Amino acid sequence: FSFSLKHLVKFSFPLSLQDAVSYVYAWFDRAILLAYTTLDALGIYNASMTAFGVLNNVPNAIATSLFPTYSAIQGKNGAEALQSSIRVASRYVCLIAMPLSHGLAATAKPALTLFVGEAYAEGTTPLIILSIFFALTLVSTALSGLLVVLGETVLSLKLTALNAVIGIGSAQLLLPHLGATGASLTRGIVMATSLLTAIIALRNRIRLSFDMEAFWKSLLASTVMAIGVAASQTYHYSKFYLPIYVLIGGAIYLVMLRLTNAIKPEDVHLMEEYLGPRLGPLFKPLEKYIIA
């Protein structure tokens, strides 16, 4: 076994710098917001970001599992198999995370007031904005780590730095006038530019293909779900009804998936294999309710 130390340093050093840039990327909106608003407003926005972070952990976990999988596929089967894997990954990211993002947008107020108190209800609008932008840029999860898999660590560093600069520039324009709402819009703009720059950087290195059918069907189902949950809150609102709103939203989403024929038999079989021999049979009875 042997390796080139020069090659190792060339590969890993940009990633070390990227960690520092990622820190700026994660906190720039809150740091700049402090310059234009009070600590109270910052605290409310930080609560919204914390709630959003719980949602964001779902695709982050998916991306973490995709990275070694992409690496193995790239090393064993080459770019063609990797391209197919990106499409499959985008499908399940949409089907899983899309309803979560719309659900959080629809239950932003009861979620914030129940877990952190009525004083944080003002964070509802920023949380809704963050959740909506997140839903529209979900496919970026399927691209996470691809530049590193392809050995383009310097380019990965440059894109992270570019998106951080775009975020800081947008914050300087929006935060003085819109406060926490401007901060959430800034974060949403960065989500969109991150997806756009990743696609531009990757399209000359690998053929990208997303499951757009799954995206639009999950978007439609999630939108109807969010409208239903919002309507139920209009009928009778209580922060303590949050679990009921979640159940209502889940039921509507499953019904919409069936009506749009979004779930295929192979999706159910994959879920049964994932759950294993003990839990897999428990999922079997749901098949007739979600497959048209």
Side-chain angles (χ1 to χ4, degrees):
F1 176 77
S2 63
F3 62 90
S4 168
L5 181 61
K6 180 180 179 180
H7 177 74
L8 179 63
V9 172
K10 183 179 179 181
F11 180 87
S12 61
F13 183 68
L15 296 179
S16 300
L17 295 179
Q18 185 172 330
D19 286 341
V21 177
S22 295
Y23 182 82
V24 176
Y25 177 86
W27 289 94
F28 74 88
D29 50 344
R30 278 165 280 194
I32 297 176
L33 184 62
L34 182 60
Y36 295 105
T37 60
T38 64
L39 284 175
D40 291 341
L42 177 62
I44 292 172
Y45 178 72
N46 191 62
S48 299
M49 282 297 296
T50 301
F52 175 70
V54 175
L55 169 65
N56 195 37
N57 282 339
V58 175
N60 281 345
I62 296 175
T64 300
S65 63
L66 285 175
F67 181 75
T69 303
Y70 281 163
S71 299
I73 293 172
Q74 168 71 4
K76 184 178 180 180
N77 300 313
E80 186 174 347
L82 184 61
Q83 293 162 4
S84 176
S85 299
I86 294 169
R87 180 178 177 83
V88 174
S90 69
R91 172 178 181 79
Y92 292 109
V93 167
C94 291
L95 291 175
I96 294 171
M98 187 74 77
L100 296 179
S101 59
H102 279 75
L104 182 59
T107 60
K109 183 177 179 180
L112 284 173
T113 55
L114 178 62
F115 288 105
V116 291
E118 294 290 342
Y120 292 87
E122 293 180 17
T124 299
T125 299
L127 183 53
I128 291 174
I129 293 172
L130 290 167
S131 300
I132 292 174
F133 270 101
F134 182 75
L136 297 177
T137 57
L138 269 177
V139 292
S140 62
T141 302
L143 306 180
S144 298
L146 273 176
L147 286 174
V148 178
V149 170
L150 297 173
E152 300 284 356
T153 55
V154 174
L155 180 57
S156 180
L157 167 62
K158 290 179 179 179
L159 291 186
T160 303
L162 174 62
N163 290 320
V165 170
I166 291 174
I168 293 172
S170 301
Q172 295 290 351
L173 294 175
L174 296 175
L175 266 65
H177 306 289
L178 299 176
T181 300
S184 59
L185 287 171
T186 297
R187 181 61 64 180
I189 291 171
V190 175
M191 292 181 205
T193 57
S194 296
L195 174 59
L196 182 61
T197 54
I199 291 175
I200 293 173
L202 287 166
R203 67 180 181 179
N204 293 326
R205 293 163 177 81
I206 188 172
R207 185 173 61 85
L208 296 177
S209 176
F210 303 113
D211 193 331
M212 297 309 297
E213 179 187 2
F215 175 82
W216 289 115
K217 287 184 176 181
S218 61
L219 178 61
L220 173 61
S222 299
T223 301
V224 173
M225 177 201 71
I227 293 172
V229 173
S232 66
Q233 292 178 62
T234 302
Y235 176 75
H236 190 85
Y237 173 80
S238 173
K239 63 182 180 182
F240 299 108
Y241 282 9
L242 178 60
I244 297 177
Y245 300 144
V246 172
L247 291 175
I248 292 173
I252 295 174
Y253 183 67
L254 291 178
V255 170
M256 287 301 300
L257 289 183
R258 180 179 174 84
L259 292 176
T260 58
N261 195 25
I263 302 297
K264 310 299 182 183
E266 54 267 27
D267 299 327
V268 177
H269 297 155
L270 179 63
M271 180 59 69
E272 291 174 352
E273 291 181 5
Y274 176 77
L275 294 175
R278 292 187 177 182
L279 298 178
L282 299 178
F283 188 77
K284 187 70 175 179
L286 294 176
E287 183 174 354
K288 62 181 179 180
Y289 296 108
I290 60 178
I291 297 180

